[in-house]
Each structure stands twice: as structure tokens, then as C-alpha cells.
């Protein structure tokens, strides 16, 4: 089957200068997750998010991302929380269990809190596929997660004005 470009379109990033954002990042596969973190930070900065409006915490693995996100949601008023992790397929089904638990934990947290909680978790069959999604030929999924957080935070505020345009 021919490959197709599934990356999101150019988006208008809202002005993030008033947004308070939390990021929780997993320490498993740290080369990947720290590249995702850098991509997310760069995008938030481009949108005007202030350094002192951003809190970053680390958790051991992706399975702990929902716990970390909940901590960020309960410790301060925030406009969005971004979860960054990397789950790479192993010899067993462990990765499947982790990935589905994390996805449903993050979804549940967003729905129950009403605050956007973003799934910025790369799930791949190989380390190479993860590298391609952490600043390689498939972009940086941390940057995309940050753009999603900004869009949802903006929707939450209901203010359609003052947009800056960038791509990722
Ligand atoms: C145990 C485990 C495994 C096998 N693989 C990954 C992975 O690919 N990515 C990741 O973020 N975390 C992994 N972990 C760790 C779990 O997420 C979790 O930290 C432990 O099971 C402890 O709860």
C-alpha cells in the first residue's frame, strides 16, 4: 500500500500568553521522551506560553502518566496537561497493556476533570519508528501534542481572536 501523509494540517496556534500548562514526561526511552519534551516546549514558546506558566514533572514510565497528569491537575489551576511517553513493542504483550491503560487513563482524566489532557505518547514497533516521530521524518509528536493542548485550551476559553500561524 502506498504511504500517505497522515500528519495534521498547518494550524493557527492561539495566543498562549495567559495559559498555564503542565507537562508530564515518562523516563522510559529517555532519548525519545526528552526530544518530545523539547518539541512540546518549542511549540508552547512559539505560542507565547511563559516559562513560569509551565510546569514539567517526570514519572518513571508511561504507565504512570495518568497519575502524573492528575497530580498536575490537582496542584494548580491549569488550562491543559500534556502527557509525553514512548512505548516500544517488546517480546511480550506488556506494551499493549501499558498503552491501552495509559490511553484510557488519560481520556478518563480529561473527561472527568473537564481540562484537556493530551495523549502525546509514541507507540511503535521499533526504536527507529520512535526516532522518526521525535524530530525525524514523521515530525515531532511532542510538538503536535502541544499544539493540540493550545487549541483545546483556547476552545475552553471560547475566545476566537488573536491567532499566530505556524506549522509543525
Ligand atoms: C515495564 C515497561 C516496559 C516493558 N516498557 C515500557 C515502555 O516501552 N515505555 C514506557 O514508557 N514504560 C515501559 N515500562 C514501564 C511502565 O510504564 C511502568 O513504569 C512500570 O510497569 C511500573 O509501573
Amino acid at each position: 500500500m502506498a504511504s500517505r501523509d497522515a500528519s495534521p494540517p498547518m494550524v493557527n496556534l492561539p495566543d498562549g500568553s495567559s495559559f498555564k500548562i503542565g507537562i508530564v514526561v515518562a523516563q522510559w526511552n529517555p532519548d525519545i521522551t526528552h526530544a518530545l519534551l523539547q518539541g512540546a516546549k518549542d511549540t508552547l514558546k512559539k505560542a507565547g506560553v511563559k516559562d513560569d506558566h509551565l510546569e514539567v514533572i517526570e514519572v518513571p514510565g508511561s504507565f504512570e502518566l495518568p497519575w502524573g497528569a492528575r497530580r498536575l491537575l490537582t496542584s494548580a489551576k491549569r488550562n491543559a496537561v500534556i502527557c509525553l511517553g514512548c512505548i516500544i513493542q517488546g517480546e511480550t504483550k506488556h506494551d499493549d497493556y501499558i498503552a491501552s491503560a495509559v490511553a484510557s487513563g488519560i481520556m478518563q482524566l480529561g473527561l472527568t476533570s473537564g481540562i484537556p489532557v493530551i495523549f502525546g505518547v509514541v507507540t511503535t514497533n521499533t526504536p527507529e519508528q520512535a526516532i522518526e516521530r521525535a524530530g525525524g521524518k514523521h515530525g515531532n509528536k511532542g510538538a503536535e501534542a502541544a499544539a493540540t493542548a493550545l487549541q483545546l485550551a483556547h476552545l475552553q476559553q471560547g475566545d476566537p481572536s488573536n491567532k499566530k500561524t505556524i506549522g509543525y
Side-chain angles (χ1 to χ4, degrees):
M1 190 171 72
S3 71
R4 66 184 189 90
D5 182 5
S7 52
M10 289 273 280
V11 292
N12 289 322
L13 283 188
D15 177 5
S17 58
S18 69
F19 290 161
K20 297 198 165 101
I21 308 284
I23 300 180
V24 51
V25 53
Q27 291 166 336
W28 262 72
N29 303 306
D31 292 354
I32 303 296
T33 60
H34 289 136
L36 298 176
L37 176 61
Q38 194 56 54
K41 282 179 164 178
D42 290 347
T43 297
L44 295 176
K45 199 175 175 119
K46 274 182 198 151
V49 175
K50 300 186 177 96
D51 287 346
D52 61 346
H53 283 184
L54 177 64
E55 185 176 358
V56 180
I57 63 168
E58 297 211 356
V59 292
S62 292
F63 191 76
E64 287 75 40
L65 287 169
W67 184 91
R70 188 174 185 280
R71 227 215 85 204
L72 286 168
L73 285 172
T74 52
S75 59
K77 195 170 173 349
R78 301 186 201 276
N79 298 91
V81 170
I82 301 164
C83 300
L84 300 175
C86 172
I87 301 169
I88 301 176
Q89 191 178 6
E91 287 179 7
T92 67
K93 289 190 173 169
H94 206 85
D95 56 292
D96 277 346
Y97 291 114
I98 295 172
S100 56
V102 174
S104 66
I106 289 173
M107 173 63 84
Q108 205 181 328
L109 203 52
L111 294 177
T112 53
S113 67
I115 307 295
V117 181
I118 310 303
F119 185 78
V121 182
V122 169
T123 59
T124 62
N125 297 329
T126 66
E128 292 70 30
Q129 290 172 338
I131 292 165
E132 287 168 0
R133 289 158 178 79
K137 72 177 179 187
H138 289 299
N140 185 311
K141 301 299 168 188
E144 293 176 17
T148 303
L150 290 160
Q151 281 183 277
L152 292 190
H154 174 68
L155 273 177
Q156 181 93 324
Q157 280 193 334
D159 175 6
S161 64
N162 200 12
K163 295 181 179 203
K164 295 178 182 175
T165 303
I166 68 155
Y168 42 68

